[in-house]
Amino acid sequence: SRHFSQSDASIFSFQEKALYSLPEEVIDMASSSLKRVSGFQQPPLSPPSGGVTADSRGEEDEDEEEENFSKLLLSKELVAKEAIKEREKQNEKIKSRKSGDGFQNLVRSTGTASDKIASNTIAVQDDAAANLKQLESLLELCEKARLKGGKRGAAQAIQALEELFKSALLPSDRKLKYFADQNLKDSDKFPHERKRLMYWYVEDYIKRCYHRFVQSLEALSKDPLVILKEKSMKCAFGLLVNKPEAELQLLRLLTNKLGDPQRKMASNASHLLLEVTVKHPMMKSIVAREVEQFMFRRGVSLKAQYYGAVLLNQMPLSHKGEGPKLAKQLVETYFSLFQFLYDKSRYTTENSNNNDGDRKEDSNDSPAANGGKKKRFHPKGGRGGGGGRGRGRGRGKKGAATPTTSNSANEQIGSGVDARVVSALLTGINRAFPYVAQSERESMVEKIAPALFTTAHSPNLAASIQALTLIFQLHSSKKSSPITDRYYRALYEVCNHPQVPKAAHAAPFLSLVFKSLKADNNNNNNNNNKSGDI
């Protein structure tokens, strides 16, 4: 190994620093010559001690800016808090001159819950900047609703806070800002800086209180007490329609109530969401997107998906503006939901069939099936399969009806999807498709047609008729491609359905048959129709 003296090391370090002033080509030539001549491996060149890169400079600058801003924020907050304290003192002096101030203080300390709510509401309406504590007490009533005896006060506080935020605290044309988002650096360039900082701080406080109120509404909407659910939903609807603050949170609150276990609550949520689209037409696509995300969420029940589909197919549409785009979005949502439910039901059916096969194998391996004389013990008494006296005693009657192990629900709904959901989806597609742009219809027909034919071949007569009607409408809109033979095979299969003469959809189905025969250009099919039994 080679050893350097102290002088040699200093000379080497000087030469290494000097290399940084030379061009890169010269450095490469020198290093290659060293390797070729003496086999010397040059160590990777590192910047001289004390050097600073551009990335480190940028990080230091950002840290310095954040530190300066935090100091500025703290100083401005102190000024604003001092201004609020002075405002509170002035307000107390003004109230002391009035005759009714003592009575209001007595009500706040010893009155009932409704009296306290009314007194605090009046105080905040008079001067919000000087009565932030009263606003805090109203919020605490909503947040402590789960305590004993607090639900009645929460129901009253919801109405009071809704009126306060709608009439006195929230602006109608913009959203509130946090104190840190204001122009604090230039606040001293304008007159009345102290007053301006106080109002900015109050605005920040009101914004935080409002978000706390929205969170408490979300918690109360899940309460088992029906009146709290209704009041929280109506309050969320009123705030969503009238004020732009926290729109997304309020919209999700109403959307989540589509999955409420009580039918009345889910129906009410659907009605309120439709009212939102009527009063704010520009929010149609936003509401549709939120409902779509809700329907495809994991763990959502089939009933909730049905309410979501009914809500979407009642949404008002138009040919102007964003109407065609919204109609395409709705059609794609209907198709995706149908495909999702169909795949899910098919997977469930296959698993149930496999489980039934395993049970049969286990029963064949039992001693009774192998000719043994072992008798089963029934805990409810008696032997046999039931149908006798008492609790399972005696032998069952011959020929008695026994429950089948097949999926009766799937037999009724045919394609594996609930009949009501299929009906809602087909109604929505039938209603939204005419509003889709003409240039995008052909691609959508090719995408939707396989799922519709699956429904058309299902035993559910109403769903089959709706699917065939929609297929006929889709193919009629495509002038380039006539109606296929696959459609007529499905139509003839429905004609042989035993419930067609007694069905409530017999008249629309006969109208569909007439239109289909009229649109058939194949003479062989027409001759077969004349001689066949239809």
Side-chain angles (χ1 to χ4, degrees), residues 12 42 46 98 100 150 184-185 199 201 206 215 238 268 305 313 328 370 375 403 415-416 464 471 516 530:
F12 181 78
Q42 180 183 1
S46 60
K98 296 181 181 180
L184 298 176
K185 294 181 180 180
Y199 284 132
Y201 186 84
I206 292 173
Q215 291 177 0
N268 192 18
Q305 292 171 337
N313 64 35
K328 180 183 177 182
N370 295 329
K375 299 179 181 179
S415 62
S464 300
I471 293 171
S516 302
K530 292 178 182 179

Side-chain angles (χ1 to χ4, degrees), residues 95 103-111 116 119-120 123 134:
K95 286 183 176 180
F103 176 73
Q104 288 187 2
N105 293 332
L106 181 63
V107 166
R108 290 173 195 166
S109 59
T110 60
K116 292 179 182 179
S119 178
N120 292 330
Q134 283 72 18

Side-chain angles (χ1 to χ4, degrees), residues 364-391:
N364 292 332
D365 295 337
S366 62
N370 295 329
K373 298 182 180 181
K374 185 176 180 180
K375 299 179 181 179
R376 293 184 180 180
F377 173 74
H378 294 269
K380 293 186 179 180
R383 295 174 293 174
R389 298 175 297 160
R391 283 186 151 185

Side-chain angles (χ1 to χ4, degrees), residues 2 21 81 89 96 103 124 131-132 138 164 167 170 172-173 210 257 264 268 305 348 354 447 450 503:
R2 184 177 180 181
S21 62
K81 289 179 180 179
K89 292 179 181 179
S96 62
F103 176 73
V124 176
N131 295 282
L132 296 178
L138 289 174
L164 278 177
S167 61
L170 295 180
S172 301
D173 55 346
Y210 184 72
K257 295 309 295 178
K264 181 181 178 181
N268 192 18
Q305 292 171 337
T348 305
N354 293 334
K447 185 177 181 181

